[in-house]
Amino acid sequence: MTTSLVLGAVAYDPKVVTIWDGFRTWFRGQGFAFDYVLYSHYERQVTDLLTGRIDAAWNSPLAWVRSRRLAEARGEQVRAVAMRDTDCDLTSVVVVRADSSLTSPTGLSGRTLATGAVDSPQATLLPLEQLRTAGHLRDVRVLRFDIGTGLHGDHIGGERAAVEALMAGKADAACLSDTNLLTFSREGLMPSGAVRVIAQTDPYDHCNMTAGPSAHPAAVEAFTRLLLAMDYADAEVRPLLDLEGLKEWRPGRLQGYTALERAVSTSGFYDERGRVTAVDYRP
């Protein structure tokens, strides 16, 4: 196997270096010339994917939306070639304190709703879009926590701050992913029985491996085939898969991004050509 591929990934946490150093060693052990480049935020990574500086990108769902729009505006195409098992069919929730009088999102009018960062799909864009579509955002004060902007919600500090505001009585409700609902409960941030869920989004998908328009098709095919062949029983890759939060890679799919595409357009985060149009976004 003589093809090669350079991947872009965002360094949202120090463990990212450990993960991709390990995967690089594994790929090269399979005879595949693989390397990676780290980015401080997704917007630069997406730009480099479209200009061919990298062949593929480990993209957030928001970065996928921008990549697709930019490519389409240029008459080109990007492909979602793989995703984690844990990227499929996620949901976000709106929670209130257990002692709250709120029983449904219809009562949010005149209240304060805490969210994650402006660019968080799971803790801001998706839940707000679903509430807006249902008519539940009228006269609601959104208290947003812009922590780790540019990381598209991979940095969960904004979600954590939103929940802290809820528990401290500074907000009446908070948006977060169902995954972090469990995580924060285990951590004791939200003790058992301390909150109630009053709304939940429809299922959506999260990250994917995006192949760029200039990537060599044979390299993308080999890269995808090797990803899908990673075995959780393999002692070499299992610790890396654990760090990356999956047990198996799956073929990429697109149906889980419909709601986010709508949320991006409604909020004006990107325009239809993939240009950043959110006026208060500074990655």
Side-chain angles (χ1 to χ4, degrees):
M1 190 181 298
T2 58
T3 51
S4 63
L5 182 139
V6 177
L7 174 80
V10 168
Y12 66 92
D13 187 276
K15 71 178 181 179
V16 171
V17 176
T18 302
I19 291 168
W20 289 106
D21 271 352
F23 282 150
R24 177 175 61 182
T25 298
W26 185 86
F27 276 117
R28 290 182 173 184
Q30 310 304 308
F32 183 64
F34 172 85
D35 206 350
Y36 70 95
V37 177
L38 294 183
Y39 291 86
S40 61
H41 60 79
Y42 279 104
E43 309 311 333
R44 179 64 59 84
Q45 177 173 289
V46 169
T47 299
D48 281 5
L49 178 68
L50 269 293
T51 56
R53 292 187 178 91
I54 55 176
D55 303 303
W58 184 211
N59 265 343
S60 74
L62 190 58
W64 158 258
V65 170
R66 186 179 181 216
S67 297
R68 186 200 62 74
R69 292 186 181 194
L70 282 171
E72 188 173 282
R74 295 159 57 113
E76 297 174 331
Q77 185 179 28
V78 293
R79 291 189 293 137
V81 298
M83 60 202 324
R84 300 170 298 186
D85 52 352
T86 49
D87 284 315
C88 302
D89 301 318
L90 306 179
T91 66
S92 292
V93 294
V94 179
V95 299
V96 298
R97 293 184 302 279
D99 60 358
S100 172
S101 62
L102 284 170
T103 59
S104 77
T106 59
L108 285 172
S109 179
R111 309 282 188 125
T112 298
L113 175 65
T115 73
V118 62
D119 58 339
S120 172
Q122 63 268 17
T124 305
L125 291 166
L126 284 164
L128 290 187
E129 175 62 19
Q130 187 147 322
L131 291 171
R132 183 184 298 111
T133 300
H136 298 321
L137 270 189
R138 297 189 187 96
D139 300 318
V140 174
R141 176 183 174 239
V142 175
L143 177 60
R144 203 178 67 212
F145 290 92
D146 284 336
I147 299 173
T149 52
L151 302 180
H152 293 185
D154 284 351
H155 187 295
I156 66 171
E159 281 179 75
R160 191 183 304 278
V163 171
E164 288 172 345
L166 172 68
M167 301 310 294
K170 298 177 181 178
D172 300 292
C175 301
L176 69 161
S177 68
D178 56 359
T179 301
N180 283 326
L181 177 65
L182 296 175
T183 298
F184 297 157
S185 296
R186 287 196 299 266
E187 292 176 355
L189 179 58
M190 297 182 299
S192 178
V195 300
R196 289 183 287 106
V197 174
I198 62 166
Q200 187 167 24
T201 67
D202 295 328
Y204 57 84
D205 287 350
H206 210 253
C207 302
N208 74 60
M209 289 289 184
T210 307
S214 61
H216 194 288
V220 174
E221 180 183 353
F223 174 63
T224 304
R225 183 173 66 251
L226 287 170
L227 272 180
L228 299 180
M230 286 185 180
D231 187 349
Y232 193 68
D234 183 340
E236 183 180 359
V237 297
R238 182 170 184 163
L240 303 173
L241 296 175
D242 283 339
L243 282 174
E244 191 54 56
L246 71 153
K247 286 186 169 55
E248 67 173 1
W249 295 99
R250 295 180 179 176
R253 66 183 194 181
L254 301 182
Q255 61 265 38
Y257 299 118
T258 302
L260 183 59
E261 289 271 9
R262 185 170 59 250
V264 167
S265 295
T266 302
S267 67
F269 197 91
Y270 301 132
D271 69 12
E272 293 304 314
R273 298 180 64 84
R275 294 171 296 201
V276 179
T277 48
V279 295
D280 49 357
Y281 175 49
R282 297 292 181 272

